[in-house]
Amino acid sequence: MDFFEFKNRISNLKKIELPGEAAHNKLAPSIRVQELKKIDFSAKKTNKAGVMAVFYPKNDQTYFVLILRKTYKGVHSNQIGFPGGRVEVEDRDLEETALRETEEEVGIPQEKIEVIRGLSKLYIPPSNFWVHPYVGVMTETPQLIPQESEVEDILEVKLEDFLNESNFVTRNLSTSYMENIDVPAFLLNDQIVWGATGMMLGELREMLREIL
């Protein structure tokens, strides 16, 4: 999609009611839906994180950033996600967390991003995190610089590909906590994007389809 047209429409996201859990569940493995129903959050001490879906122009078209995390000893090793991370004590709020972490992980200065709105928070059982996603936009093509310690690769995803129905797929996957399970996912830049990131993308996709 032409970025000028996208920029003119993106503020309409503020007027849309968040689809929330209903949208998340369309991209959730069935085992995850059942797991979430059983959790008593009143009895849990959870962590918080902020992530950013930032859109920008490239060759007059609209793109957004995902990252491939480094391989390490942790539940999100070698996974694709939004730039973002854990809240720090100096952060004013979770929006600031998302902006700070985006600058650290992909090199986009915080002041270059206009935050449009927050999306529905999502709980990730394997890491015990509530993740708060935000949508932002910048008006220039960024120089993307991966954080050496955290980021293996940066994916520049074309909005047109993200909205293309043919890139909404089902794949049979195995992970450290489940085996041979069919999961709904997005096929983006030849990568399978599923799980928590897929669920957040699912909500974002529903909202964008309403305004674009």
Side-chain angles (χ1 to χ4, degrees):
M1 167 176 266
D2 176 79
F3 182 76
F4 180 76
E5 183 179 357
F6 175 83
K7 181 67 168 61
N8 284 339
R9 297 188 185 186
I10 189 64
S11 62
N12 290 323
L13 277 186
K14 301 174 185 177
K15 304 174 185 177
I16 299 176
E17 184 177 350
L18 291 171
E21 186 177 324
H24 288 164
N25 287 348
K26 293 177 183 177
L27 269 295
S30 57
I31 191 172
R32 176 61 56 83
V33 175
Q34 297 305 314
E35 184 180 11
L36 289 172
K37 288 180 179 178
K38 297 176 182 177
I39 296 174
D40 178 8
F41 289 106
S42 65
K44 292 185 72 67
K45 185 177 180 180
T46 57
N47 304 302
K48 292 181 180 180
V51 301
M52 180 68 66
V54 54
F55 292 86
Y56 58 89
K58 183 178 179 180
N59 300 324
D60 297 325
Q61 296 298 301
T62 306
Y63 285 76
F64 67 94
V65 173
L66 294 174
I67 61 172
L68 174 63
R69 298 202 173 276
K70 292 273 190 182
T71 300
Y72 64 97
K73 292 183 179 180
V75 295
H76 299 305
S77 170
N78 201 231
Q79 289 187 359
I80 292 174
F82 293 109
R86 181 194 296 265
V87 66
E88 300 290 350
V89 292
E90 66 268 20
D91 293 337
R92 182 178 62 252
D93 52 30
L94 283 155
E95 179 180 310
E96 185 170 289
T97 300
L99 287 167
R100 175 183 55 75
E101 287 280 347
T102 297
E103 181 168 7
E104 291 176 4
E105 292 191 334
V106 298
I108 299 176
Q110 299 179 44
E111 65 272 12
K112 296 288 187 179
I113 300 175
E114 175 192 353
V115 178
I116 303 301
R117 70 168 302 167
L119 301 180
S120 301
K121 67 179 183 178
L122 178 67
Y123 181 69
I124 305 178
S127 57
N128 192 35
F129 265 91
W130 278 108
V131 178
H132 297 248
Y134 293 86
V135 178
V137 64
M138 58 185 300
T139 56
E140 59 191 74
T141 305
Q143 180 183 3
L144 298 170
I145 305 170
Q147 185 180 21
E148 187 174 345
S149 61
E150 298 280 345
V151 180
E152 182 67 31
D153 196 13
I154 293 175
L155 284 68
E156 295 187 82
V157 180
K158 195 172 185 179
L159 177 62
E160 182 179 344
D161 294 336
F162 173 50
L163 297 178
N164 190 327
E165 195 68 34
S166 66
N167 289 325
F168 182 50
V169 299
T170 299
R171 291 291 186 270
N172 186 271
L173 301 174
S174 294
T175 73
S176 59
Y177 55 89
M178 62 183 187
E179 293 185 0
N180 295 321
I181 184 168
D182 289 332
V183 299
F186 293 101
L187 179 61
L188 302 172
N189 295 36
D190 297 319
Q191 298 278 354
I192 297 298
V193 184
W194 66 286
T197 302
M199 293 164 74
M200 289 183 278
L201 282 170
E203 180 179 54
L204 177 58
R205 182 174 179 270
E206 283 195 15
M207 297 175 71
L208 289 174
R209 287 170 69 90
E210 283 195 44
I211 65 170
L212 300 180

